[in-house]
Amino acid sequence: MDFLRPALLWGLLGLAVPVLVHLLGQRRVRTVSVATLRFLEAARARAAARWRLRRLLLLLARALALGALAVLYAGPGCSTAGGPGGPALWVLVLDTSVSMGAARGGPTRLDEARSRLLAVVDRAGPEDRFAVLTTADRPWGGTVLGDPALVRRLLLDARLEHGPHRVDRALEAALAVAAGAPGGRVVLAGDVQRSGWPPGLVAGAGSVPLGVVDVGLPDPANGWVEAVEEEASAVRVRLGASGAEPPRRAVHLAPGAGRRLTAFVGGREAAFQAGTLPTDAPGLVSLEPGGDLTEDDELAFVGKTKTRPQVLLVNGDPRGFEIQDELFFLRRALAPGSSLGARIEAREVRLGDLGPAHLEAADAVVLANPGPLPPGLDEALARRLEAGAGLLVTAGDRVPAGEGARWLAAPRRDAVAVPPGDPLRRPFEALDPGSFAGPALPFREAGAGDLGGTRVTRYWVLEARAGDEVKVWMRLENGAPLLVERRVGRGRSLLLTTTIDRDGADLCLQPGFVPWLEQALLYAAGRLGPALGVTVRAGYPVELPFEGPVTLEGPGELRLGWRPGAPPFVPPVPGVYRAAAAGEEAGWLIARVDPGESDLTPLSPGELDARLGAGAYSRGVDEGPGSGVVLGRRDGSPAAAALLLGLVGAEALLSGRWRRRRPVDLLADGAASGGGRP
């Protein structure tokens, strides 16, 4: 026998109260013999014997009733967890998946599961041991604990975890731990969500006593924001739902700057007018009511760029014959009506006509075979770069040099022309696809826009040092840089060390020329973000394409660093993550709740049997000894309460409160007490 609250056993001192009342309540009277009543002496003696026994029984009933009341408050029970094999090992598995955050006018499913496992700890025997696991999909390297207080703290500290959750793997690990110790048994508390239990039989089920405590809602219903899709004519918000759907829901679109648009829908799609999304800035879509799970009622997004980048083409060497013009192939690639012209708006101006007003309206400037710029124009170009514009210089036979070309990515050194008739070497230099990086990275692999057949016959060798902060994005096979970049203020200055026409290379004739040109121009204009997934799942690893260290700023004040070679980035919570490199914005990442957690549909009993094996488990742990999981402690409170009720009833009968008293009884009682009157 043991007690949950042994301190209350001090209430057993109350047993002395009826005894004291009995002793102090006896009346002491003087006996006076009356001759006429002598015939009652014999009757008085017989009644006194009966009343003395009755009073002793009444005293015993009252004392035992007070003792039973004290024992009831102390929480009686007996330890049976170990059984004949000794102390038990309880392996407690807590489902911490996001779906356990569901609630309906009360505690969440996680709180309910936690309280059920805490009850198991409270009922366990004094020598029992414990192990606590969660359903998060990771190797379990925990220890077996013997301190119930520590186990309680582990359960109370458990929180919802974003990321992969595999109930079957957690259960297999728990069964393996329990099978390796005498008296091992497993208790799993969760919502038995269908998406968390992949098809297939759980290994080890039935080898040890197993109880599954289903804390899920009996009729779960949930809605969530599935996706935000931007179309030419509308912005569509697609919704997901499981269970019973409300007749109408409100979808709120908050594109930023204090704006909020609302649409009331009766289905699974809401439409807003085109142009309501922000440009390259985060917004938020929310659903009301969302259902039993609130974590998935919001979805952040980043609006796409709606305006085409403005590219200014500056011809530094116009020719009278168009096919020999420096911009001939760029002009054709960016012509209105072409696929590239539909995404990039290009304007052309001669170098002699170029002025500061042309530069102010351009997101990127292409200088093809330029000569020296006038001093005023040189300063205007430098200021435009520092303000954030981009520059792409293609080298011909004229490359600016000296202080007047401080906007150039790297200073020139020597011009190289591959001799066409040398029998000891090839008449061209080939590209090294393995060196491609930055904006040229998508063309490293064959089939992604082939540039491998490019032949370069004329190029410039640059005067670049390690301290010049020049990045090389493309090289020739001999190691000479072909495409380099240097940051000028907030802008990018790129230099192609060969010509953009056929005079020095045949890059313009390659199948990947137009995609490469688009990449280079968008990168120079700052419109080519890193190849980040627009929307990813919180808690799941994400491969980042950055070639240098970045800082990711998440919801609230969350700041996480990442550098090349580090493990994949894992967004810990849903929300918008801004990637910043060298203090400047490098892209956006949206982390959302895993859609699989939003579908709260539970497994049916038959489906659970199919995954665990019929008869290999008990559904719950309060079903008695035959259920397969015997709790470590038998609660004695019902027996104590029944004993208390019985003693109260016995006291009422012995005290005569329910018995109709007759005159003769009064006479007998009076005679028995010694205080009767004639």
Side-chain angles (χ1 to χ4, degrees):
M1 173 72 71
D2 58 24
F3 299 91
L4 296 178
R5 297 170 293 276
L8 296 182
L9 291 177
W10 286 99
L12 292 176
L13 295 177
L15 271 68
V17 174
V19 177
L20 293 176
V21 171
H22 176 76
L23 294 177
L24 296 176
Q26 289 184 349
R27 291 188 296 174
R28 291 175 172 81
V29 296
R30 186 179 57 170
T31 304
V32 178
S33 300
V34 180
T36 58
L37 298 177
R38 289 178 182 175
F39 66 92
L40 295 176
E41 287 294 330
R44 184 189 66 80
R46 291 191 300 270
R50 291 195 303 271
W51 179 243
R52 187 178 300 109
L53 177 61
R54 185 171 161 185
R55 284 196 306 170
L56 291 175
L57 293 176
L58 182 60
L59 173 63
L60 180 62
R62 289 172 175 171
L64 291 179
L66 289 176
L69 182 62
V71 170
L72 179 62
Y73 275 102
C78 59
S79 300
T80 62
L89 171 62
W90 293 91
V91 184
L92 309 178
V93 183
L94 179 61
D95 188 354
T96 56
S97 60
V98 177
S99 64
M100 292 289 287
R104 185 183 298 170
T108 64
R109 300 302 88 200
L110 180 64
D111 293 335
E112 180 66 22
R114 186 188 291 116
S115 65
R116 298 291 292 272
L117 293 182
L118 288 173
V120 174
V121 176
D122 292 338
R123 297 175 183 178
E127 298 182 0
D128 287 358
R129 297 170 298 154
F130 306 89
V132 179
L133 285 77
T134 66
T135 57
D137 190 12
R138 56 174 176 260
W140 183 73
T143 57
V144 176
L145 306 172
D147 185 4
L150 181 57
V151 177
R152 290 181 61 87
R153 187 161 65 250
L154 289 176
L155 293 174
L156 291 173
D157 291 343
R159 295 294 181 264
L160 297 178
E161 299 179 77
H162 291 275
H165 282 262
R166 290 289 302 273
V167 179
D168 55 339
R169 293 182 181 177
L171 198 53
E172 289 175 358
L175 291 170
V177 172
R185 57 205 67 198
V186 177
V187 179
L188 165 67
D191 57 359
V192 197
Q193 187 189 21
R194 181 176 295 169
S195 61
W197 292 72
L201 201 65
V202 173
S207 59
V208 297
L210 167 63
V212 177
V213 182
D214 184 4
V215 298
L217 297 169
D219 54 343
N222 190 45
W224 62 93
V225 181
E226 186 70 35
V228 180
E229 300 175 354
E230 185 177 8
E231 301 177 356
S233 59
V235 176
R236 302 189 183 277
V237 178
R238 303 196 183 279
L239 309 176
S242 65
E245 299 183 35
R248 291 185 67 81
R249 289 179 287 187
V251 180
H252 305 291
L253 174 66
R259 300 172 57 200
R260 183 177 179 180
L261 307 174
T262 302
F264 296 93
V265 298
R268 297 193 179 184
E269 182 179 298
F272 297 88
Q273 291 183 354
T276 56
L277 292 187
T279 300
D280 291 339
L284 187 68
V285 171
S286 57
L287 177 65
E288 183 182 4
D292 297 327
L293 186 64
T294 60
E295 281 78 2
D296 56 4
D297 294 348
E298 296 182 346
L299 178 62
F301 62 90
V302 173
K304 300 178 182 178
T305 301
K306 300 176 180 61
T307 59
R308 293 185 298 169
Q310 305 291 315
V311 176
L312 180 63
L313 305 178
V314 181
N315 196 340
D317 185 22
R319 305 287 181 90
F321 190 43
E322 185 182 7
I323 197 171
Q324 295 180 346
D325 196 287
E326 196 78 24
L327 292 179
F328 175 78
F329 292 96
L330 267 69
R331 192 181 298 117
R332 290 292 181 268
L334 295 167
S338 65
S339 60
L340 186 55
R343 297 187 292 272
I344 297 176
E345 184 175 348
R347 296 181 298 113
E348 184 179 350
V349 64
R350 293 175 180 269
L351 182 60
D353 300 331
L354 181 63
H358 296 96
L359 300 175
E360 292 298 328
D363 296 312
V365 180
V366 178
L367 293 179
N369 194 15
L373 301 182
L377 194 58
D378 179 83
E379 291 295 329
L381 180 58
R383 288 195 304 268
R384 189 73 185 98
L385 277 174
E386 291 174 354
L391 174 65
L392 173 61
V393 178
T394 64
D397 54 2
R398 301 186 302 172
V399 178
E403 291 297 327
R406 59 189 181 90
W407 38 263
L408 200 64
R412 70 180 188 180
R413 189 177 69 187
D414 298 313
V416 177
V418 181
D422 190 348
L424 299 179
R425 56 173 297 178
R426 294 182 302 183
F428 61 88
E429 293 290 348
L431 272 62
D432 178 17
S435 68
F436 290 2
L441 183 62
F443 307 96
R444 176 181 290 183
E445 302 295 335
D450 190 13
L451 299 177
T454 301
R455 301 184 177 190
V456 179
T457 57
R458 290 166 46 192
Y459 61 93
W460 285 87
V461 177
L462 304 177
E463 187 70 49
R465 297 176 298 275
D468 293 338
E469 298 181 355
V470 175
K471 299 178 180 178
V472 180
W473 301 135
M474 297 174 67
R475 291 182 183 273
L476 299 176
E477 284 187 346
N478 62 4
L482 185 69
L483 180 66
V484 299
E485 176 203 351
R486 181 172 64 88
R487 300 302 294 267
V488 180
R490 294 172 51 198
R492 297 180 174 95
S493 177
L494 281 77
L495 172 61
L496 182 69
T497 61
T498 188
T499 63
I500 200 68
D501 62 0
R502 297 177 58 186
D503 292 344
D506 60 357
L507 176 65
C508 56
L509 302 180
Q510 301 304 313
F513 172 69
V514 173
W516 173 87
L517 180 62
E518 181 180 12
Q519 286 282 111
L521 293 178
L522 292 178
Y523 182 78
R527 299 292 185 89
L528 182 65
L532 289 176
V534 176
T535 304
V536 299
R537 295 177 294 174
Y540 288 79
V542 180
E543 294 288 346
L544 300 180
F546 301 107
E547 297 188 351
V550 296
T551 301
L552 293 121
E553 302 173 358
E557 299 182 355
L558 183 64
R559 291 176 61 90
L560 302 170
W562 182 89
R563 63 178 57 254
F569 172 68
V570 179
V573 295
V576 180
Y577 291 81
R578 174 182 176 269
E584 296 188 8
E585 182 180 310
W588 298 91
L589 188 68
I590 305 298
R592 64 167 303 164
V593 174
D594 184 3
E597 296 289 344
S598 300
D599 188 355
L600 303 179
T601 305
L603 289 172
S604 65
E607 291 173 326
L608 191 57
D609 288 345
R611 285 158 175 79
L612 295 177
Y617 70 101
S618 64
R619 198 175 182 91
V621 292
D622 293 324
E623 300 176 1
S627 64
V629 175
V630 181
L631 290 176
R633 190 175 184 278
R634 299 294 185 192
D635 189 8
S637 298
L643 177 61
L644 176 61
L645 291 176
L647 292 172
V648 171
E651 190 275 342
L653 291 175
L654 290 171
S655 64
R657 292 189 180 91
W658 295 350
R659 184 165 58 91
R660 185 176 179 182
R661 303 170 68 89
R662 294 176 298 178
V664 65
D665 294 331
L666 292 175
L667 181 61
D669 291 347
S673 62
R677 292 184 180 182

